[in-house]
Amino acid sequence: DAMGRTDLTALPLVTIDGETAKDFDDAVFCERRGRSFRLVVAIADVAHYVRDGDAIDVDARERGTSVYFPRRVIPMLPEALSNELCSLRPDVDRLCMACDMEISAHGAIKSYAFYPAVMHSRARLTYTQVWGWLSEPKSAKGAAAKALLPHLANLYALYQALAGARARRGAIDFDTAELAIEFDDHGKITQIVPAPRNDAHKLIEECMLAANVCAADFLLTHPHPALYRVHERPPADKLTALRDFLATSALHLPGGDEPAPADYAKLLDSARDRADFDLLQTVLLRSLSQAQYRPDNEGHFGLAFEAYTHFTSPIRRYPDLLVHRAIKAALAGRQYKPAGMTWQQLGVHTSMTERRADEASRDVTNWLKCHYMRDRIGETFEGT
């Protein structure tokens, strides 16, 4: 299996995920090169194991995505693949697709290369752990932690450069709080609390955005059909409703009939200290179009990218698996044509499966909230 692949096993790649994750799609490594950074994002090579049109592929396509519930995941792929063979687990060799980038000190991607590789993850880290070490370096105890810390510090410096580029680009940065439902050993809900989000989450997010942008650029420059992640401008009727609402709060969205992402970003920044910020953020979010998968690249409004695709989660998202196959075909000078469906049909289908999964997760969470509160009927609370 390693034949013809770049050997990255000497590179101290690590995975950084939530505490309960078992399907590790992505590993990262960063080093400084003069005034630039070298960022390697290694993604599980699912396309090596799941071939177009085989039984597992047909089932994965039908599911379209893994579905995440509190305490349970319904995976897109069998767990022997999603949690074992494809998962970038620590201390074992794994096949991957690497996106190897050079990024300037100002967060601009100067060059990139895609290639199949073999990697060996040095550690399975969590967001809490990484942010603890970065914010308090003395807390990184033990030889392994101390060896990884300089690489994590490089990643953090790169994140700050990419975040600066994101702000200059005018991308919209919604900071919504997710909820975490906590259970005891018997499956009874103990509490529902805001899920903390720290800079380690944002660090991984920016690394994945960079790899996804490179994937979109690669598919456009080596013309090969694929699914892009398209986020259109806000529709006129939603813009009118948004402006009417903002007028009641003495706020204004600039940009006329075609506001830019930067106009949204400026409005969000100006309202951050207001008591009704959460409400304003929700209303702004709802005025936007829903992102979709499409074979025609029409850019990503919210992220302010001219071209964007999903490459970084092929274990849990079918469009990413399709993008991997397209990149592999382009590297080999071939064309990948999915069996049984056109790219247009695949875009419609995978957009639907994503919405279906989101609605299922939301329904279950709402049900659990009601289940939790049914013992509190008659009590009085303060709330927003």
Side-chain angles (χ1 to χ4, degrees):
D1 286 346
M3 289 286 285
R5 288 176 177 265
T6 304
D7 185 352
L8 294 180
T9 52
L11 218 55
L13 285 147
V14 295
T15 61
I16 306 174
D17 293 271
E19 270 78 3
T20 58
K22 294 190 180 104
D23 50 348
F24 309 127
D25 282 289
D26 52 273
V28 289
F29 164 76
C30 182
E31 65 183 349
R32 290 181 182 268
R33 289 200 167 168
R35 299 202 54 201
S36 298
F37 297 92
R38 178 197 180 195
L39 171 66
V40 179
V41 173
I43 305 297
D45 191 356
V46 178
H48 178 84
Y49 297 100
V50 182
R51 305 297 168 92
D52 185 69
D54 71 15
I56 292 177
D57 183 54
V58 170
D59 190 56
R61 184 185 291 184
E62 191 181 322
R63 291 165 186 263
T65 179
S66 295
V67 189
Y68 292 85
F69 298 117
R71 299 185 79 226
R72 186 171 177 211
V73 179
I74 299 178
M76 181 179 82
L77 297 170
E79 287 187 2
L81 287 175
S82 62
N83 294 357
E84 299 290 337
L85 200 54
C86 294
S87 188
L88 305 180
R89 297 170 64 195
D91 305 319
V92 287
D93 287 359
R94 284 289 181 261
L95 304 184
C96 63
M97 282 296 289
C99 178
D100 199 329
M101 297 163 266
E102 185 189 358
I103 301 175
S104 77
H106 298 293
I109 299 170
K110 293 160 78 171
S111 64
Y112 65 82
F114 285 92
Y115 50 83
V118 184
M119 62 157 285
H120 190 96
S121 171
R122 290 295 184 278
R124 177 269 196 264
L125 305 176
T126 67
Y127 297 119
T128 312
Q129 196 177 15
V130 169
W131 183 233
W133 292 349
L134 288 171
S135 49
E136 188 57 62
K138 286 179 186 163
S139 68
K141 293 185 165 65
K146 285 174 181 166
L148 291 172
L149 194 56
H151 303 299
L152 295 173
N154 288 340
L155 273 168
Y156 192 53
L158 171 63
Y159 154 68
Q160 289 167 316
L162 290 168
R166 181 192 187 112
R168 287 190 295 277
R169 206 169 65 238
I172 309 170
D173 197 4
F174 289 111
D175 201 7
T176 51
E178 298 282 320
L179 283 180
I181 300 178
E182 295 181 355
F183 299 85
D184 65 17
D185 294 341
H186 305 292
K188 185 171 167 41
I189 301 169
T190 53
Q191 57 178 352
I192 300 174
V193 291
R197 187 174 143 81
N198 56 46
D199 278 6
H201 290 85
K202 297 175 185 176
L203 177 159
I204 288 297
E205 196 174 274
E206 285 297 334
C207 291
M208 298 308 117
L209 291 177
N212 286 335
V213 166
C214 292
D217 186 73
F218 180 87
L219 291 164
L220 287 168
T221 51
H222 298 71
H224 193 293
L227 289 184
Y228 293 91
R229 183 68 169 168
V230 173
H231 188 229
E232 292 181 319
R233 294 180 165 282
D237 58 333
K238 286 192 173 182
L239 270 180
T240 304
L242 173 63
R243 289 208 159 97
D244 290 346
F245 175 84
L246 291 173
T248 65
S249 304
L251 290 168
H252 171 66
L253 176 69
D257 291 338
E258 291 202 349
D263 295 319
Y264 268 79
K266 276 182 204 147
L267 177 57
L268 269 174
D269 276 344
S270 68
R272 244 170 240 287
D273 296 328
R274 290 175 58 123
D276 59 352
F277 175 70
D278 287 339
L279 171 63
L280 291 167
Q281 183 168 249
T282 301
V283 173
L284 283 167
L285 191 58
R286 288 189 179 171
S287 73
L288 298 175
S289 304
Q290 200 163 24
Q292 296 176 327
Y293 294 109
R294 287 195 205 151
D296 307 313
N297 171 43
E298 292 168 42
H300 197 292
F301 178 82
L303 294 171
F305 285 134
E306 287 177 19
Y308 189 67
T309 191
H310 276 169
F311 161 78
T312 52
S313 295
I315 290 177
R316 60 185 182 88
R317 285 191 308 227
Y318 196 75
D320 303 52
L321 176 54
L322 292 169
V323 164
H324 274 240
R325 288 173 181 160
I327 289 173
K328 284 184 155 191
L331 285 171
R334 294 184 286 101
Q335 278 270 319
Y336 162 56
K337 194 167 182 296
M341 268 180 151
T342 65
W343 286 102
Q344 190 75 38
Q345 289 167 328
L346 283 164
V348 171
H349 173 71
T350 52
S351 298
M352 179 278 289
T353 58
E354 178 190 33
R355 283 195 307 276
R356 181 176 68 185
D358 286 347
E359 285 165 13
S361 299
R362 201 161 46 238
D363 283 353
V364 167
T365 304
N366 285 341
W367 187 90
L368 286 167
K369 286 178 190 170
C370 294
H371 184 75
Y372 176 64
M373 292 305 289
R374 73 178 183 174
D375 296 335
R376 321 296 293 266
I377 290 168
E379 292 183 41
T380 304
F381 301 90
E382 283 188 5
T384 303

